[in-house]
Amino acid sequence: MSEQDRRQATQDLLAYIDASPSPWHAVANAAADLEARGYRRLAEDEPWRLEAGGGYYVIRDDSSLIAFRIGDSPLSRSGFRIVGAHTDSPGFRVKPNPAHAKGPLTALGVEIYGGPILASFADRDLTLAGRVMVRDDSAPGSLGTRLVHFDRPLVRLPNLAIHMNREVNKEGLKFDYQDQLPLFLAAVSEELPPEERFRGLLAEAAGVAADDLCSWGLAVADTQPGAFWGPEGEFIADSQLDNLASCHAALAALPDDGPEAGVAMAALFDHEEVGSESYKGAAGNFLESVLERIGAALGLDAEAYRAALAGSWLVSADMAHAYHPSWPRHHDDQHQVRVNEGPVIKVNAAQRYASDELGQAYFARLCEQAGVPHQSYIHRNDLPCGSTIGPMMAARLGLRTVDVGNPMWAMHSVRESAGGEDQGALIEVLKGFYAEGSSGS
Ligand code: ZN
């Protein structure tokens, strides 16, 4: 990939994130891209007919998506090449009865979703985006779905002035989770009680009457677009780099024509940040169901399907912690991962990451074949290690798995940062991964 192509890959990533302020948008935009590339949508509640060389995708509940292209060599020998990632990011979700008067202001109650750096949300130009369920007589079951995105600053979490919080720089910015996180929306008005105000805004954005609003999944999103920074624009900043960067890479690398190998697949799940145990999460049966149905549609019996799984690989792609030179003691000295120096193989003896020595060697070889450098990450022994979807998917499906991801700073901040070079590098490696396979290696 030329320098220009790498820059373009990163620009595409920032555009994807800016158009995807919620996991529902991330999936809708992925679907639109896949359609444009000739992938056809399959419904889970209809029979599947699959052809060699065909590209397909399945969406579960609007925020998890599995896309795949069937190769022309026998699946029982070549297996599946799966890249797993997650569509959700930590932050806030709007409560079912959110609007209330808080002193002179109309406030919106929010739940904390996953493990965000709460202080990073203060004083930012925030908005709301997500999925709204509405009464719609023309839709199945009379329930329609609308994606909404208020494309302007709408809500705010203002700081307390330092004059009233003198210790803030020593103690850090802390919030009472129940009382101090409601977001401010408007001044209280007598004509427009808080609930009416909120429902009116949401109904307008959804294009329905307020009485037809049923329920919502609304994320609090940043309005600042992604940016390159540094003298040469060598770094990037945006929200949701964890983990829309990996979703973008998994999708961008998918072949537009049938590969020679078995099945190339991008599996993108919601709910990773809250443990993945859900209808559409990576610990659920979505992937297993899709794999089984592909096997059945291609005529594999149980024995051949098991053989295909045993010959498969899962690359679990989620972001990694780059070395932060102002906090050197939070890193392992021998595993200082750097931005713009290639994808990271994540290793943890306690299996919080699924990469064993086979997975490490396998992914390192993929990088070498793509002409891309790679790095290894170990969390310090004296800090608890995070985890991701790799170990649970490896255990559930019996897949050889390696946990990898591009390096970044400020994971779970509403404004994360990373290198501008690494996105294109990861895409190149994943292209090689999807294309390989008939050797059953
Ligand atoms: Zn993640």
Side-chain angles (χ1 to χ4, degrees):
M1 204 183 267
S2 69
E3 204 175 300
Q4 205 182 352
D5 288 346
R6 284 201 180 185
R7 180 94 183 178
Q8 189 59 50
T10 309
Q11 227 144 24
D12 290 349
L13 164 65
L14 298 181
Y16 176 57
I17 292 178
D18 292 341
S20 305
S22 79
W24 301 276
H25 289 84
V27 163
N29 290 323
D33 173 59
L34 288 163
E35 285 284 343
R37 294 162 61 188
Y39 284 73
R40 277 171 284 161
R41 183 165 181 178
L42 300 169
E44 281 201 278
D45 58 359
E46 286 169 14
W48 292 2
R49 266 174 218 89
L50 309 178
E51 291 159 21
Y56 305 91
Y57 68 98
V58 197
I59 292 174
R60 185 176 278 193
D61 201 30
D62 292 339
S63 57
S64 291
L65 176 147
I66 297 177
F68 56 93
R69 192 171 279 282
I70 312 272
D72 33 27
S73 63
L75 180 60
S76 55
R77 263 198 289 129
S78 48
F80 299 93
R81 292 291 174 277
I82 307 164
V83 179
H86 65 90
T87 58
D88 60 326
S89 297
F92 299 108
R93 295 288 184 269
V94 175
K95 291 177 177 176
N97 300 320
H100 59 283
K102 199 169 171 69
L105 295 177
T106 293
L108 293 181
V110 290
E111 286 189 286
I112 299 174
Y113 181 83
I117 300 178
L118 293 174
S120 69
F121 285 77
D123 301 332
R124 291 198 71 88
D125 298 344
L126 301 173
T127 192
L128 303 177
R131 178 174 73 155
V132 181
M133 304 303 299
V134 300
R135 245 169 249 126
D136 180 351
D137 291 335
S138 65
S142 301
L143 278 182
T145 297
R146 303 284 186 277
L147 284 191
V148 298
H149 177 201
F150 295 93
D151 204 4
R152 60 184 190 276
L154 183 74
V155 290
R156 198 162 195 90
L157 184 61
N159 231 306
L160 184 64
I162 197 164
H163 314 79
M164 288 165 252
N165 191 14
R166 292 277 182 198
E167 297 303 306
V168 64
N169 291 327
K170 275 195 198 139
E171 300 290 327
L173 179 58
K174 293 175 188 165
F175 295 93
D176 179 286
Y177 290 0
Q178 178 61 26
D179 296 332
Q180 292 173 334
L181 290 180
L183 303 170
F184 297 135
L185 173 72
V188 163
S189 110
E190 288 207 354
E191 303 86 73
L192 211 50
E195 196 188 333
E196 236 176 89
R197 174 132 219 170
F198 171 67
R199 290 180 71 92
L201 276 168
L202 195 53
E204 193 187 345
V208 299
D211 284 347
D212 289 334
L213 289 174
C214 300
S215 56
W216 44 82
L218 284 177
V220 174
D222 198 10
T223 55
Q224 187 178 1
F228 288 86
W229 60 278
E232 312 290 334
E234 56 267 60
F235 307 114
I236 55 170
D238 209 343
S239 66
Q240 306 175 98
L241 288 169
D242 174 15
N243 192 23
L244 291 188
S246 304
C247 291
H248 173 266
L251 292 165
L254 271 181
D256 287 338
D257 306 302
E260 286 170 27
V263 173
M265 175 181 285
L268 315 179
F269 300 97
D270 198 355
H271 289 164
E272 189 271 350
E273 298 291 356
V274 291
S276 297
E277 196 82 43
S278 73
Y279 170 52
K280 52 190 164 181
N285 81 337
F286 185 29
L287 178 59
E288 187 175 27
S289 164
V290 169
L291 295 177
E292 280 178 8
R293 294 181 70 170
I294 294 171
L298 297 182
L300 269 63
D301 62 16
E303 173 69 5
Y305 174 71
R306 289 280 152 206
L309 272 193
S312 299
W313 270 102
L314 168 66
V315 171
S316 161
D318 201 351
M319 299 301 275
H321 302 297
Y323 179 68
H324 194 316
S326 301
W327 272 272
R329 270 170 287 163
H330 287 70
H331 300 269
D332 183 292
D333 282 347
Q334 310 310 316
H335 299 87
Q336 295 181 0
V337 161
R338 319 243 160 160
V339 303
N340 288 333
E341 293 194 13
V344 178
I345 304 168
K346 304 186 217 174
V347 178
N348 180 253
Q351 300 303 301
R352 302 282 291 164
Y353 301 131
S355 329
D356 64 1
E357 48 287 355
L358 175 63
Q360 294 173 55
Y362 176 71
F363 192 80
R365 200 201 55 185
L366 287 176
C367 290
E368 281 153 21
Q369 285 169 344
V372 162
H374 57 84
Q375 318 179 62
S376 292
Y377 181 78
I378 287 268
H379 213 61
R380 285 179 66 97
N381 286 340
D382 50 7
L383 286 176
C385 184
S387 189
T388 178
I389 59 175
M392 71 183 69
M393 291 167 75
R396 182 178 175 110
L397 294 163
L399 291 171
R400 294 178 293 184
T401 300
V402 56
D403 268 302
V404 307
N406 272 340
M408 67 178 293
W409 294 297
M411 191 180 285
H412 294 190
S413 166
V414 72
R415 189 76 175 171
E416 299 169 328
S417 44
E421 295 287 311
D422 293 321
Q423 189 69 6
L426 180 61
I427 290 170
E428 272 191 280
V429 176
L430 296 182
K431 276 186 178 168
F433 168 65
Y434 284 142
E436 99 154 19
S438 48
S439 63
S441 57

